[in-house]
Amino acid sequence: MSVKQSETEEARAIISLLIDKGIKLLAIDFDRTIVSVHTLGAWRQGSSKLAEFVRPCFKYLLTAALESESALYVSVVTYSKQPELIRDVLKLVLRKSNVNHIIIRANTNDWVKDHTTSMLGKEQHIAAVTTDLYNKHGLIVHPSEILLLDDDLDNVKVAVEFGHKGFEINDGVTLASLRSFIKNC
């Protein structure tokens, strides 16, 4: 079995495990989480260059999530002000997947003026996503049905305080480390 086949199977197993654990919303940070660099919300080197920094485990995980025919929704929750760049990066990396199914909640100028995000971690982003899911699909997502993956431990702690599951992403993240966490949460 090739590495690609092995990683694909591991990612599919993680998605199945998330569904078995009752997770309906997988909320993932972008900077230093999906990508290994921090864009500071002002990346100027283009989507192709940024796509080089997508962590392989997230390429496999997102592909598996988007291929799944389950009621698992995926969102990117980020302080970045560049949602178009994020979408372009995801399109480049997930070429065979419909990345339009990923809900991106970023700190765009029109959204930030109505939201204060400094003390609530990614909660306002997650609340906006769950509101969208309800408005578009009639889906009610309970706090315990949300998993946040984020490199910022403070954001993870806030998510847990709000009743979500949360996992801190570090430079050594792998599909195996994600699966281990999900198994035990």
Side-chain angles (χ1 to χ4, degrees):
M1 178 181 303
S2 72
V3 171
K4 182 178 178 181
Q5 288 172 320
S6 175
E7 295 291 286
T8 298
E9 287 183 20
E10 179 78 3
R12 288 177 178 155
I14 290 169
I15 297 304
S16 293
L17 190 56
L18 286 170
I19 293 162
D20 291 346
K21 294 278 187 172
I23 299 299
K24 291 183 182 174
L25 176 60
L26 180 58
I28 310 172
D29 178 41
F30 188 73
D31 290 343
R32 303 258 325 124
T33 301
I34 292 176
V35 293
S36 61
V37 297
H38 205 298
T39 67
L40 303 173
W43 185 264
R44 301 281 181 247
Q45 298 178 45
S47 55
S48 294
K49 182 65 176 174
L50 187 54
E52 295 174 16
F53 295 99
V54 171
R55 296 178 198 266
C57 63
F58 284 105
K59 177 182 177 183
Y60 289 108
L61 186 68
L62 290 168
T63 298
L66 293 171
E67 287 176 352
S68 172
E69 295 181 13
S70 67
L72 176 68
Y73 292 86
V74 178
S75 65
V76 173
V77 290
T78 178
Y79 295 135
S80 172
K81 293 182 177 191
Q82 297 179 292
E84 298 85 9
L85 173 70
I86 293 168
R87 178 119 15 235
D88 289 345
V89 167
L90 294 174
K91 285 179 180 176
L92 285 171
V93 173
L94 309 172
R95 292 180 191 269
K96 296 180 182 178
S97 300
N98 186 351
V99 300
N100 293 324
H101 287 136
I102 298 174
I103 303 164
I104 298 177
R105 172 43 40 217
N107 279 12
T108 54
N109 290 334
D110 63 325
W111 190 73
V112 170
K113 70 179 179 185
D114 296 327
H115 298 84
T116 306
T117 58
S118 62
M119 299 194 37
L120 295 174
K122 297 290 176 67
E123 285 310 303
Q124 290 179 318
H125 296 74
I126 292 170
V129 171
T130 59
T131 300
D132 286 349
L133 289 173
Y134 179 76
N135 289 337
K136 291 178 183 173
H137 305 286
L139 178 69
I140 297 172
V141 181
H142 299 283
S144 63
E145 298 170 329
I146 299 169
L147 170 60
L148 173 67
L149 305 177
D150 199 314
D151 69 296
D152 187 323
L153 183 57
D154 290 335
N155 290 340
V156 172
K157 286 179 180 178
V158 170
V160 170
E161 287 174 14
F162 273 80
H164 314 315
K165 292 166 181 54
F167 182 71
E168 180 186 12
I169 300 299
N170 59 41
D171 287 335
V173 67
T174 62
L175 288 172
S177 63
L178 288 170
R179 187 174 187 182
S180 177
F181 167 78
I182 294 163
K183 262 184 166 175
N184 297 310
C185 72

